[in-house]
Amino acid sequence: KAGVTQTPRYLIKTRGQQVTLSCSPISGHRSVSWYQQTPGQGLQFLFEYFSETQRNKGNFPGRFSGRQFSNSRSEMNVSTLELGDSALYLCASSLDGIGNQPQHFGDGTRLSIL
Amino acid sequence: AQSVTQPDIHITVSEGASLELRCNYSYGATPYLFWYVQSPGQGLQLLLKYFSGDTLVQGIKGFEAEFKRSQSSFNLRKPSVHWSDAAEYFCAVGGYGGSQGNLIFGKGTKLSVKP
């Protein structure tokens, strides 16, 4: 069974640009969550999608947005990039995001802002 | 507010020695607790989880953790460390609002293993 797939693995952008990251969950998983990992702030929850609806949202500015498609694949978009957005962005999926179903993580997308 | 504290930023142990990584949480209800491990350049791998029942849980790679409600702790242990265990370990709490999709992580403990 394939794991969580994130593309691209590495990305370099400049300030002011926007970026879209993609996440394909494990087959059958309907909950997809996104996290930002930085050396200073650690792992922080961005948002969670379930059945194409945002179910939970972390404390990030509106420049960070996401969506989920009918096949459960998810995309995350960051607009007007800032230097502080440089981070590893991790996607995680689970069957339904509730109960005793743990999340499974992808290897992440490393975003560097110049 | 929910929070997770991992007091040790970096721990070094000798190969074959025992290991205990500390985790304390702040949570208003019965927590769902997790330990994840991250190797450089990779995502997080689930080691073990606690939802309810037996407070001593077994995980993969010979790890175990004990939930102590009175101490708000969920410490990770391994009786004999292998060089391949060198990585960063994260404790997390979930379940807020009934969802597991919004984990709160500790800052992590980096484990180094001496030969």
Side-chain angles (χ1 to χ4, degrees):
Chain A
K1 200 173 189 181
V4 178
T5 304
Q6 292 188 246
T7 57
R9 286 297 310 276
Y10 303 92
L11 209 47
I12 299 175
K13 292 287 187 179
T14 56
R15 281 182 298 173
Q17 288 187 309
Q18 73 167 17
V19 67
T20 299
L21 312 182
S22 180
C23 172
S24 294
I26 292 172
S27 177
H29 284 193
R30 297 165 62 196
S31 168
V32 174
S33 297
W34 290 88
Y35 296 84
Q36 181 196 64
Q37 185 177 25
T38 60
Q41 299 300 317
L43 280 153
Q44 294 183 284
F45 169 72
L46 280 156
F47 28 65
E48 180 205 5
Y49 285 86
F50 178 76
S51 292
E52 302 178 63
T53 301
Q54 188 179 86
R55 183 158 66 178
N56 285 293
K57 188 178 188 302
N59 189 25
F60 277 81
R63 299 186 298 107
F64 292 81
S65 63
R67 60 178 176 170
Q68 186 180 33
F69 301 95
S70 58
N71 62 357
S72 294
R73 190 178 70 86
S74 178
E75 288 182 347
M76 190 191 99
N77 184 273
V78 188
S79 63
T80 319
L81 286 165
E82 300 176 359
L83 292 178
D85 297 332
S86 294
L88 179 66
Y89 290 88
L90 292 166
C91 168
S93 75
S94 66
L95 278 172
D96 55 15
I98 61 175
N100 62 355
Q101 301 299 326
Q103 293 186 302
H104 299 267
F105 283 79
D107 286 337
T109 293
R110 173 76 62 184
L111 175 62
S112 299
I113 311 302
L114 302 179
Chain B
Q2 299 80 16
S3 66
V4 177
T5 302
Q6 293 181 247
D8 304 305
I9 297 173
H10 191 186
I11 285 181
T12 300
V13 300
S14 297
E15 191 168 16
S18 63
L19 171 71
E20 182 170 26
L21 302 182
R22 297 182 291 165
C23 172
N24 292 96
Y25 66 90
S26 172
Y27 194 76
T30 301
Y32 295 155
L33 296 160
F34 307 84
W35 274 100
Y36 284 88
V37 61
Q38 185 178 37
S39 297
Q42 296 190 355
L44 302 174
Q45 180 182 23
L46 179 68
L47 287 175
L48 46 77
K49 60 186 186 292
Y50 171 79
F51 289 105
S52 64
D54 193 352
T55 57
L56 184 64
V57 294
Q58 303 296 323
I60 63 171
K61 303 184 181 185
F63 286 93
E64 66 177 27
E66 186 171 13
F67 169 59
K68 293 185 177 180
R69 185 187 300 275
S70 61
Q71 299 177 19
S72 296
S73 69
F74 188 57
N75 293 349
L76 182 71
R77 300 193 295 249
K78 187 170 185 178
S80 177
V81 169
H82 188 262
W83 65 266
S84 60
D85 293 325
E88 191 155 19
Y89 292 79
F90 294 92
C91 180
V93 64
Y96 180 72
S99 169
Q100 305 307 322
N102 53 344
L103 297 178
I104 298 170
F105 285 89
K107 294 289 191 183
T109 298
K110 185 174 182 180
L111 173 66
S112 297
V113 180
K114 291 189 300 185

